Amino acid sequence: MMSGSMTDGTEMKTAASPSDCAIELRGIVKRFPGVVANDGINLKINRGEIHCLLGENGAGKTTLMRILYGLYQPDAGEILLTGVPTKIRSPKDALVHRIGMVHQHFRLVPTLTAAENIILGLDEGTGPFLNIRKVRAKINKIANAYGLAVDPQAKIWQLSVGQQQRVEIIKALYRDADILIMDEPTSVLTPQEVDQLFSTLRTLVDDGLTIIFITHKLDEVMEVSDRVTVLRKGKVVGTQLTSETDKPSLAKLMVGREVVFRVEKTPVHRGDKLLEVTELHALNDRGLPALRGMSFDLYEGEILGVAGVSGNGQKELAEVLTGLRHATRGRVMLAGKNVTNHSARKIAAAGVAHVPTERITMGTVPNMSIRENLVLKSYRYPPVSHGMFIDYRYAKQMAQQAMKEYQIIAPSDETAVKLLSGGNIQRLVLARELSGDPRLIVAAHPTYGLDVGATEQIRQILLQQRDRGAGILLISEDLEEVMTLSDRIMVMFQGGVMGIVDGAAAKIEEIGLMMAGEKQGVSASAQSTNAKVA
Amino acid sequence: MGWESWLISTFARALAYGTPLLLGTLGEIYAERSGVLNLGIEGMMIMGAYAAFVVTSKTGQPWLGVIVAAAVGGVFSLIHAFASITLKANQVVSGLALTMLGLGLAGVLGRSWVGLPLFTPLTRATVPGLSAIPIIGPGFFTRQCLLAYIAMLLVPIMWYILFHTRIGVTIRAVGEDPATADSLGVNVARVRYLCVVVGGIFAGIAGAYLSIYYRPAWTAGMTGGIGWIVIALTIFAFWNPVYGLVGSYFFAALYFLAYRMQMWVAPSILKAMPYVFAILILIFVSRGTLQKRMGAPAALTLPYTRGEE
């Protein structure tokens, strides 16, 4: 078999030339208990290109790249680097072969400085001693060459997410990587930071690097890549030149069917004022100010989207509104009643539903069954319970109905929640939270990590709730989601409101500037100066 | 008694009693910085104390006793390392087991040594030059055990290694975020083994100091809870060797003062004072660390398995 592939004439004809091919993956198979994550993947990456790996969550993109980076061992198949079969047993092996990876969740030690993170694990021939001045000089040289400004002496936890990503890229370049794997690099960035990242990537490619860019966003594929490979359910469904394809056909490949991009939305019917937040202050887990005087209103029958780079107080806002965090100052009025710092149970009883960010740790009890999770809020009251006893037969009926209505797919209502997929868990959370028709729904990242199908469905559910008359506070880092669903968009920056704009008229540039800390209105004049800088 | 001599004797006693605390704390700081909580300090210390006493009695060579104690402490710590790093057992349980095992084993083995005098304890030394400084000189640098000076010297060395060398960066990274360290080719298990063994060696030496210098005799349970104070001091020190020195001497001074004040205050209250103080410090420190990110290494007590995050 080995000799066959070595002398395979047809293979040679299809590739431009063997030296142009930086990486070739042949028949890669990786199984996890119950899933085939990669099912016989063949892929060729040319030297000096930006190659996008496109696919839904769970399509096997990250698994494939982890195999290439030595974090997983494939069950079958082989990796060829510039035509030579190579075993990559560990990340260290990958680094030896000059492969670098920027993970979706950064691999940085928060309490170490940027410089310390960059040199971690390296042997630069100075034994145990560090020539920190030389290290810093090399970092600055890389930073200047590729527009990756970062302070080497800053501790990672003090840096913004965008800066942390730059540290990650420098880390790979410091190790002389000439193949760079970027795993969903834009999910945490502002639009401006995305632009900056893309220009950095282009400079890198001009210098001869090869970049593999994992994403599920079609816009990014079109903007940044030279070629694109689409993965679906662990298989390659096509590789195309980006210039010869378009978004709808890529989407069709990715999902396996036509996708409606526009969510059908009825015009807004604003009701009475539902939520009135005045000068709200709160601290984060470290005791530092997270909310600094937020004020806004939310009406019945509208979706108020909250945009912002993560870590600007969105999490704390959701927690204060649902009674999980103490407000240090300010007032929260729900339908004319003061509910500031009421307990979570009281607030829930007042008709506030919470779809939390962490659907597994906060939204459900993973070891308990679907049925038990579904009655977690209503178990205290009849008809689910009578005195101290729970009517399990009633709960079972209720659970089975909810499973049907919300399409929660599981062997039975007694299945433990931890065995469900992300989409099923999220539908379960919605089923529980939306039962009893809440007046206010605080939804944090409701579609995060879900595939296109599940995302569509959950967005539809939220819109139905809005049309029913519920007020929805939609917190999301997915700007596209905020812009498609919201009737109004509020932008948060460092715990304050930068501005509230009309959803239909909102421009992405304007929102981007507010996400970076420009107050609404100031942005018009700032935009011209910004244009000069860019 | 004049305040000067009072101060000098406080300093001298603080150094004498603080040295085993300091040695133990330095070792535990390294173990915990790498992510392994070792509650077995007391057990390793008493095994070191026992080994040092026996070797010194038989050979008349106290320094040989110190070396053997270090080796015994290091080997004994391997039990905890194996259980918690390789077998990924609960570190609290494994550490407690080590303490109980050490106390029990040393108690049984040492039965025939109880009450025997030691003819060749570690000798005292005076540092030329430094001992001439008023108050500090006679307090800290006159007629102390050589080990006390060595421990003092180790502080800047251990601090420098931890915060300014490649080794230190690796240790801290492994204790904070082993997955990241692993992804950069660091051998997490090896770093942790080394740090735990360093902790064991230091605890062993601290034990030797007790049995062949501080109280040159063997009694069962002679470490008297020092190993537990070390655990508290490690936290008090923010996992930093320099604060470890401050904490060790300060605690030892309090311990000594408790004796001195028996004339005025009920002795039982005074005896509790250092421990009450330790609890207060822990409460205070825990509140402070939340805000300043100076807290425990993030991966402390968490075993590491590749691919599980």
Side-chain angles (χ1 to χ4, degrees), chain A residues 69 91-92 95 107-112 116-117 119-122 124 126-130 157 171 175 286, chain B residues 160 163-167 169-170 172-173 176-177 179-186 290-293 306 309:
Chain A
Y69 191 60
K92 204 168 187 171
L95 295 172
R107 293 294 175 85
L108 295 169
V109 184
T111 53
L112 298 190
E116 286 173 337
N117 266 287
I119 57 99
L120 176 60
L122 275 182
E124 293 178 295
T126 52
F129 295 102
L130 273 174
W157 65 268
K171 196 164 92 183
R175 281 146 223 263
R286 292 198 279 127
Chain B
Y160 187 83
F163 293 107
H164 292 280
T165 68
R166 224 170 266 288
I167 302 170
V169 172
T170 310
R172 285 183 288 142
E176 287 288 340
D177 191 345
T180 295
D182 187 32
S183 79
L184 294 169
V186 173
L290 274 181
Q291 294 168 14
K292 289 183 193 145
R293 291 237 172 184
R306 183 180 288 172
E309 280 148 71

Side-chain angles (χ1 to χ4, degrees), chain B residues 147-163:
Chain B
L147 263 183
Y149 302 131
I150 292 174
M152 218 187 277
L153 252 175
L154 277 169
V155 171
I157 295 172
M158 301 283 278
W159 173 82
Y160 187 83
I161 292 175
L162 195 54
F163 293 107

Side-chain angles (χ1 to χ4, degrees), chain A residues 22-23 47 81 97-100 177-181 209-210 212:
Chain A
I23 302 167
R47 185 156 298 285
L81 298 178
H97 294 293
R98 301 178 66 184
I99 300 172
D178 62 5
I179 295 162
L180 192 58
I181 305 167
L209 265 85
T210 307
I212 306 176

